[in-house]
Amino acid sequence: MTLTVDAMDLTARQAELADAALRIVAREGLAAVTFRSIAAESGWSLGAVQKAFATKDAILTAMFARLRASAGRLPASEPGRPTLRAWLVELLLGLAPLDAERRTAALHGAAFGDLAAYDAGVGRAIAASDAEIRGLLAQLIRRARSEGELDAAVDPDAVAWGFLALAQGVTTQLL
């Protein structure tokens, strides 16, 4: 399979079917996602699902695109404001599966994470997504360093790696 993290143009029906597949994942896991289960979940016919997606890989790609489009709760304030530390704490709490919505999002992430161990395309897509997130975090850390909030010796890339690992670890533990 080849997943990409770029925006994917989905028809309204494809988005609806991908969302139905994600609901199945949250309830039963990724293995339960089939053309038939998506048809049953969505109320569309099996033929409509097959017409919308030629392969299961296409469904998985659409599901991943929908996840990327709706990923995580970001703090309401400007990134890194009022302070980087306060913003990162708020971000971590927003990502932690502390309610049904965030638990569902964490289950989706875990399902694709498990698939990545066996599917290089999924692994590359997740790695690219994580690299993008780490890049944004490092950029915020550089800004906080330049504004004197953090010591100049702080390594932005190392802190970004550490924060992402912490967030993923907290999420896994809370699931």
Side-chain angles (χ1 to χ4, degrees), residues 74-88 91 136-137 139-141 143-144 147 149:
L74 292 176
S77 60
E78 177 187 352
R81 303 289 186 224
T83 66
L84 177 66
R85 289 178 182 151
W87 190 84
L88 289 175
L91 177 62
L136 293 171
L137 288 170
Q139 190 175 24
L140 291 174
I141 293 161
R143 184 177 80 190
E147 293 174 354
E149 181 183 347

PDB file of all heavy atoms in Angstrom, residues 74-88 91 136-137 139-141 143-144 147 149:
ATOM      1  N   LEU A  74      -6.057  21.310  18.955  1.00  0.00           N
ATOM      2  CA  LEU A  74      -4.989  22.273  19.206  1.00  0.00           C
ATOM      3  C   LEU A  74      -5.477  23.309  20.211  1.00  0.00           C
ATOM      4  O   LEU A  74      -6.665  23.642  20.240  1.00  0.00           O
ATOM      5  CB  LEU A  74      -4.580  22.963  17.904  1.00  0.00           C
ATOM      6  CG  LEU A  74      -3.894  22.089  16.878  1.00  0.00           C
ATOM      7  CD1 LEU A  74      -3.630  22.891  15.605  1.00  0.00           C
ATOM      8  CD2 LEU A  74      -2.595  21.524  17.414  1.00  0.00           C
ATOM      9  N   PRO A  75      -4.575  23.809  21.036  1.00  0.00           N
ATOM     10  CA  PRO A  75      -4.974  24.883  21.936  1.00  0.00           C
ATOM     11  C   PRO A  75      -5.538  26.056  21.143  1.00  0.00           C
ATOM     12  O   PRO A  75      -5.147  26.300  19.999  1.00  0.00           O
ATOM     13  CB  PRO A  75      -3.650  25.263  22.615  1.00  0.00           C
ATOM     14  CG  PRO A  75      -2.810  24.029  22.518  1.00  0.00           C
ATOM     15  CD  PRO A  75      -3.191  23.401  21.207  1.00  0.00           C
ATOM     16  N   ALA A  76      -6.463  26.781  21.754  1.00  0.00           N
ATOM     17  CA  ALA A  76      -7.126  27.897  21.074  1.00  0.00           C
ATOM     18  C   ALA A  76      -6.192  29.076  20.841  1.00  0.00           C
ATOM     19  O   ALA A  76      -6.392  29.853  19.904  1.00  0.00           O
ATOM     20  CB  ALA A  76      -8.336  28.343  21.892  1.00  0.00           C
ATOM     21  N   SER A  77      -5.174  29.206  21.662  1.00  0.00           N
ATOM     22  CA  SER A  77      -4.276  30.352  21.543  1.00  0.00           C
ATOM     23  C   SER A  77      -3.291  30.168  20.392  1.00  0.00           C
ATOM     24  O   SER A  77      -3.153  29.086  19.834  1.00  0.00           O
ATOM     25  CB  SER A  77      -3.499  30.540  22.854  1.00  0.00           C
ATOM     26  OG  SER A  77      -2.740  29.378  23.133  1.00  0.00           O
ATOM     27  N   GLU A  78      -2.615  31.233  20.062  1.00  0.00           N
ATOM     28  CA  GLU A  78      -1.568  31.187  19.036  1.00  0.00           C
ATOM     29  C   GLU A  78      -0.532  30.147  19.448  1.00  0.00           C
ATOM     30  O   GLU A  78      -0.184  30.052  20.626  1.00  0.00           O
ATOM     31  CB  GLU A  78      -0.906  32.567  18.927  1.00  0.00           C
ATOM     32  CG  GLU A  78       0.246  32.603  17.946  1.00  0.00           C
ATOM     33  CD  GLU A  78       1.011  33.928  17.979  1.00  0.00           C
ATOM     34  OE1 GLU A  78       0.550  34.871  18.651  1.00  0.00           O
ATOM     35  OE2 GLU A  78       2.061  33.989  17.344  1.00  0.00           O
ATOM     36  N   PRO A  79      -0.026  29.362  18.509  1.00  0.00           N
ATOM     37  CA  PRO A  79       0.973  28.345  18.862  1.00  0.00           C
ATOM     38  C   PRO A  79       2.129  28.944  19.666  1.00  0.00           C
ATOM     39  O   PRO A  79       2.725  29.943  19.274  1.00  0.00           O
ATOM     40  CB  PRO A  79       1.443  27.826  17.505  1.00  0.00           C
ATOM     41  CG  PRO A  79       0.266  28.033  16.610  1.00  0.00           C
ATOM     42  CD  PRO A  79      -0.352  29.330  17.096  1.00  0.00           C
ATOM     43  N   GLY A  80       2.371  28.346  20.828  1.00  0.00           N
ATOM     44  CA  GLY A  80       3.454  28.795  21.686  1.00  0.00           C
ATOM     45  C   GLY A  80       3.092  29.936  22.611  1.00  0.00           C
ATOM     46  O   GLY A  80       3.942  30.434  23.341  1.00  0.00           O
ATOM     47  N   ARG A  81       1.838  30.345  22.607  1.00  0.00           N
ATOM     48  CA  ARG A  81       1.410  31.460  23.442  1.00  0.00           C
ATOM     49  C   ARG A  81       0.384  30.980  24.451  1.00  0.00           C
ATOM     50  O   ARG A  81      -0.378  30.081  24.158  1.00  0.00           O
ATOM     51  CB  ARG A  81       0.798  32.579  22.577  1.00  0.00           C
ATOM     52  CG  ARG A  81       1.711  33.099  21.513  1.00  0.00           C
ATOM     53  CD  ARG A  81       2.823  33.900  22.129  1.00  0.00           C
ATOM     54  NE  ARG A  81       3.601  34.515  21.062  1.00  0.00           N
ATOM     55  CZ  ARG A  81       4.905  34.543  21.041  1.00  0.00           C
ATOM     56  NH1 ARG A  81       5.607  33.995  21.983  1.00  0.00           N
ATOM     57  NH2 ARG A  81       5.553  35.138  20.062  1.00  0.00           N
ATOM     58  N   PRO A  82       0.276  31.527  25.628  1.00  0.00           N
ATOM     59  CA  PRO A  82       1.033  32.672  26.114  1.00  0.00           C
ATOM     60  C   PRO A  82       2.504  32.331  26.353  1.00  0.00           C
ATOM     61  O   PRO A  82       3.373  33.184  26.209  1.00  0.00           O
ATOM     62  CB  PRO A  82       0.330  33.058  27.414  1.00  0.00           C
ATOM     63  CG  PRO A  82      -0.333  31.804  27.869  1.00  0.00           C
ATOM     64  CD  PRO A  82      -0.650  31.017  26.628  1.00  0.00           C
ATOM     65  N   THR A  83       2.767  31.083  26.741  1.00  0.00           N
ATOM     66  CA  THR A  83       4.153  30.621  26.813  1.00  0.00           C
ATOM     67  C   THR A  83       4.212  29.272  26.127  1.00  0.00           C
ATOM     68  O   THR A  83       3.194  28.575  26.001  1.00  0.00           O
ATOM     69  CB  THR A  83       4.645  30.449  28.271  1.00  0.00           C
ATOM     70  OG1 THR A  83       3.900  29.379  28.882  1.00  0.00           O
ATOM     71  CG2 THR A  83       4.513  31.730  29.071  1.00  0.00           C
ATOM     72  N   LEU A  84       5.379  28.892  25.676  1.00  0.00           N
ATOM     73  CA  LEU A  84       5.526  27.589  25.040  1.00  0.00           C
ATOM     74  C   LEU A  84       5.146  26.476  26.010  1.00  0.00           C
ATOM     75  O   LEU A  84       4.422  25.549  25.647  1.00  0.00           O
ATOM     76  CB  LEU A  84       6.964  27.393  24.540  1.00  0.00           C
ATOM     77  CG  LEU A  84       7.238  26.024  23.916  1.00  0.00           C
ATOM     78  CD1 LEU A  84       6.444  25.842  22.630  1.00  0.00           C
ATOM     79  CD2 LEU A  84       8.719  25.840  23.659  1.00  0.00           C
ATOM     80  N   ARG A  85       5.610  26.579  27.232  1.00  0.00           N
ATOM     81  CA  ARG A  85       5.323  25.525  28.223  1.00  0.00           C
ATOM     82  C   ARG A  85       3.828  25.366  28.448  1.00  0.00           C
ATOM     83  O   ARG A  85       3.308  24.254  28.448  1.00  0.00           O
ATOM     84  CB  ARG A  85       6.043  25.822  29.525  1.00  0.00           C
ATOM     85  CG  ARG A  85       7.533  25.631  29.401  1.00  0.00           C
ATOM     86  CD  ARG A  85       8.255  25.973  30.670  1.00  0.00           C
ATOM     87  NE  ARG A  85       9.697  25.814  30.451  1.00  0.00           N
ATOM     88  CZ  ARG A  85      10.622  26.488  31.062  1.00  0.00           C
ATOM     89  NH1 ARG A  85      10.286  27.377  31.970  1.00  0.00           N
ATOM     90  NH2 ARG A  85      11.893  26.277  30.805  1.00  0.00           N
ATOM     91  N   ALA A  86       3.124  26.464  28.658  1.00  0.00           N
ATOM     92  CA  ALA A  86       1.676  26.400  28.888  1.00  0.00           C
ATOM     93  C   ALA A  86       0.967  25.833  27.661  1.00  0.00           C
ATOM     94  O   ALA A  86       0.045  25.018  27.788  1.00  0.00           O
ATOM     95  CB  ALA A  86       1.129  27.784  29.222  1.00  0.00           C
ATOM     96  N   TRP A  87       1.408  26.238  26.474  1.00  0.00           N
ATOM     97  CA  TRP A  87       0.781  25.766  25.241  1.00  0.00           C
ATOM     98  C   TRP A  87       1.008  24.271  25.064  1.00  0.00           C
ATOM     99  O   TRP A  87       0.093  23.537  24.693  1.00  0.00           O
ATOM    100  CB  TRP A  87       1.338  26.562  24.054  1.00  0.00           C
ATOM    101  CG  TRP A  87       0.603  26.323  22.785  1.00  0.00           C
ATOM    102  CD1 TRP A  87      -0.545  26.934  22.361  1.00  0.00           C
ATOM    103  CD2 TRP A  87       0.962  25.402  21.740  1.00  0.00           C
ATOM    104  NE1 TRP A  87      -0.917  26.453  21.134  1.00  0.00           N
ATOM    105  CE2 TRP A  87      -0.001  25.504  20.720  1.00  0.00           C
ATOM    106  CE3 TRP A  87       2.009  24.510  21.581  1.00  0.00           C
ATOM    107  CZ2 TRP A  87       0.039  24.745  19.567  1.00  0.00           C
ATOM    108  CZ3 TRP A  87       2.062  23.744  20.419  1.00  0.00           C
ATOM    109  CH2 TRP A  87       1.077  23.876  19.433  1.00  0.00           C
ATOM    110  N   LEU A  88       2.214  23.787  25.367  1.00  0.00           N
ATOM    111  CA  LEU A  88       2.510  22.353  25.225  1.00  0.00           C
ATOM    112  C   LEU A  88       1.708  21.516  26.218  1.00  0.00           C
ATOM    113  O   LEU A  88       1.232  20.427  25.874  1.00  0.00           O
ATOM    114  CB  LEU A  88       4.009  22.087  25.380  1.00  0.00           C
ATOM    115  CG  LEU A  88       4.890  22.564  24.234  1.00  0.00           C
ATOM    116  CD1 LEU A  88       6.363  22.338  24.564  1.00  0.00           C
ATOM    117  CD2 LEU A  88       4.525  21.893  22.915  1.00  0.00           C
ATOM    118  N   LEU A  91      -1.722  21.390  24.824  1.00  0.00           N
ATOM    119  CA  LEU A  91      -1.726  20.485  23.677  1.00  0.00           C
ATOM    120  C   LEU A  91      -1.737  19.034  24.131  1.00  0.00           C
ATOM    121  O   LEU A  91      -2.520  18.219  23.627  1.00  0.00           O
ATOM    122  CB  LEU A  91      -0.507  20.754  22.788  1.00  0.00           C
ATOM    123  CG  LEU A  91      -0.330  19.827  21.582  1.00  0.00           C
ATOM    124  CD1 LEU A  91      -1.502  19.957  20.620  1.00  0.00           C
ATOM    125  CD2 LEU A  91       0.988  20.143  20.865  1.00  0.00           C
ATOM    126  N   LEU A 136       7.215  21.453  13.186  1.00  0.00           N
ATOM    127  CA  LEU A 136       6.437  22.576  13.715  1.00  0.00           C
ATOM    128  C   LEU A 136       6.768  22.829  15.189  1.00  0.00           C
ATOM    129  O   LEU A 136       6.910  23.981  15.608  1.00  0.00           O
ATOM    130  CB  LEU A 136       4.943  22.302  13.538  1.00  0.00           C
ATOM    131  CG  LEU A 136       4.444  22.258  12.099  1.00  0.00           C
ATOM    132  CD1 LEU A 136       3.003  21.760  12.042  1.00  0.00           C
ATOM    133  CD2 LEU A 136       4.570  23.614  11.433  1.00  0.00           C
ATOM    134  N   LEU A 137       6.895  21.749  15.961  1.00  0.00           N
ATOM    135  CA  LEU A 137       7.258  21.907  17.367  1.00  0.00           C
ATOM    136  C   LEU A 137       8.642  22.534  17.508  1.00  0.00           C
ATOM    137  O   LEU A 137       8.843  23.437  18.321  1.00  0.00           O
ATOM    138  CB  LEU A 137       7.217  20.556  18.088  1.00  0.00           C
ATOM    139  CG  LEU A 137       5.831  19.973  18.352  1.00  0.00           C
ATOM    140  CD1 LEU A 137       5.946  18.539  18.836  1.00  0.00           C
ATOM    141  CD2 LEU A 137       5.072  20.829  19.354  1.00  0.00           C
ATOM    142  N   GLN A 139      10.133  24.466  15.478  1.00  0.00           N
ATOM    143  CA  GLN A 139      10.030  25.879  15.092  1.00  0.00           C
ATOM    144  C   GLN A 139       9.520  26.723  16.273  1.00  0.00           C
ATOM    145  O   GLN A 139      10.042  27.803  16.546  1.00  0.00           O
ATOM    146  CB  GLN A 139       9.088  25.990  13.899  1.00  0.00           C
ATOM    147  CG  GLN A 139       9.033  27.307  13.222  1.00  0.00           C
ATOM    148  CD  GLN A 139       8.151  27.229  11.975  1.00  0.00           C
ATOM    149  OE1 GLN A 139       7.262  26.394  11.834  1.00  0.00           O
ATOM    150  NE2 GLN A 139       8.414  28.128  11.044  1.00  0.00           N
ATOM    151  N   LEU A 140       8.525  26.216  16.981  1.00  0.00           N
ATOM    152  CA  LEU A 140       8.012  26.924  18.153  1.00  0.00           C
ATOM    153  C   LEU A 140       9.070  27.002  19.255  1.00  0.00           C
ATOM    154  O   LEU A 140       9.199  28.026  19.934  1.00  0.00           O
ATOM    155  CB  LEU A 140       6.764  26.229  18.695  1.00  0.00           C
ATOM    156  CG  LEU A 140       5.517  26.306  17.832  1.00  0.00           C
ATOM    157  CD1 LEU A 140       4.411  25.441  18.426  1.00  0.00           C
ATOM    158  CD2 LEU A 140       5.054  27.740  17.689  1.00  0.00           C
ATOM    159  N   ILE A 141       9.825  25.938  19.421  1.00  0.00           N
ATOM    160  CA  ILE A 141      10.868  25.910  20.445  1.00  0.00           C
ATOM    161  C   ILE A 141      11.973  26.905  20.090  1.00  0.00           C
ATOM    162  O   ILE A 141      12.480  27.622  20.970  1.00  0.00           O
ATOM    163  CB  ILE A 141      11.400  24.478  20.624  1.00  0.00           C
ATOM    164  CG1 ILE A 141      10.286  23.599  21.216  1.00  0.00           C
ATOM    165  CG2 ILE A 141      12.653  24.447  21.495  1.00  0.00           C
ATOM    166  CD1 ILE A 141      10.485  22.120  21.039  1.00  0.00           C
ATOM    167  N   ARG A 143      11.550  29.656  18.444  1.00  0.00           N
ATOM    168  CA  ARG A 143      10.990  30.972  18.732  1.00  0.00           C
ATOM    169  C   ARG A 143      11.047  31.256  20.230  1.00  0.00           C
ATOM    170  O   ARG A 143      11.451  32.341  20.644  1.00  0.00           O
ATOM    171  CB  ARG A 143       9.554  31.077  18.224  1.00  0.00           C
ATOM    172  CG  ARG A 143       8.967  32.478  18.434  1.00  0.00           C
ATOM    173  CD  ARG A 143       7.589  32.619  17.870  1.00  0.00           C
ATOM    174  NE  ARG A 143       6.637  32.028  18.800  1.00  0.00           N
ATOM    175  CZ  ARG A 143       5.360  31.818  18.517  1.00  0.00           C
ATOM    176  NH1 ARG A 143       4.881  32.108  17.316  1.00  0.00           N
ATOM    177  NH2 ARG A 143       4.552  31.298  19.395  1.00  0.00           N
ATOM    178  N   ALA A 144      10.667  30.280  21.045  1.00  0.00           N
ATOM    179  CA  ALA A 144      10.701  30.468  22.504  1.00  0.00           C
ATOM    180  C   ALA A 144      12.133  30.698  22.981  1.00  0.00           C
ATOM    181  O   ALA A 144      12.373  31.502  23.884  1.00  0.00           O
ATOM    182  CB  ALA A 144      10.095  29.257  23.205  1.00  0.00           C
ATOM    183  N   GLU A 147      13.153  34.245  22.114  1.00  0.00           N
ATOM    184  CA  GLU A 147      12.471  35.234  22.944  1.00  0.00           C
ATOM    185  C   GLU A 147      12.886  35.144  24.407  1.00  0.00           C
ATOM    186  O   GLU A 147      12.357  35.871  25.238  1.00  0.00           O
ATOM    187  CB  GLU A 147      10.951  35.057  22.807  1.00  0.00           C
ATOM    188  CG  GLU A 147      10.453  35.395  21.409  1.00  0.00           C
ATOM    189  CD  GLU A 147       8.980  35.087  21.214  1.00  0.00           C
ATOM    190  OE1 GLU A 147       8.330  34.506  22.116  1.00  0.00           O
ATOM    191  OE2 GLU A 147       8.462  35.433  20.133  1.00  0.00           O
ATOM    192  N   GLU A 149      12.437  32.618  26.510  1.00  0.00           N
ATOM    193  CA  GLU A 149      11.644  31.733  27.368  1.00  0.00           C
ATOM    194  C   GLU A 149      12.427  30.466  27.712  1.00  0.00           C
ATOM    195  O   GLU A 149      12.278  29.912  28.799  1.00  0.00           O
ATOM    196  CB  GLU A 149      10.328  31.368  26.686  1.00  0.00           C
ATOM    197  CG  GLU A 149       9.455  30.475  27.541  1.00  0.00           C
ATOM    198  CD  GLU A 149       8.175  30.031  26.864  1.00  0.00           C
ATOM    199  OE1 GLU A 149       7.805  30.574  25.811  1.00  0.00           O
ATOM    200  OE2 GLU A 149       7.540  29.117  27.406  1.00  0.00           O
TER     201      GLU A 149
END
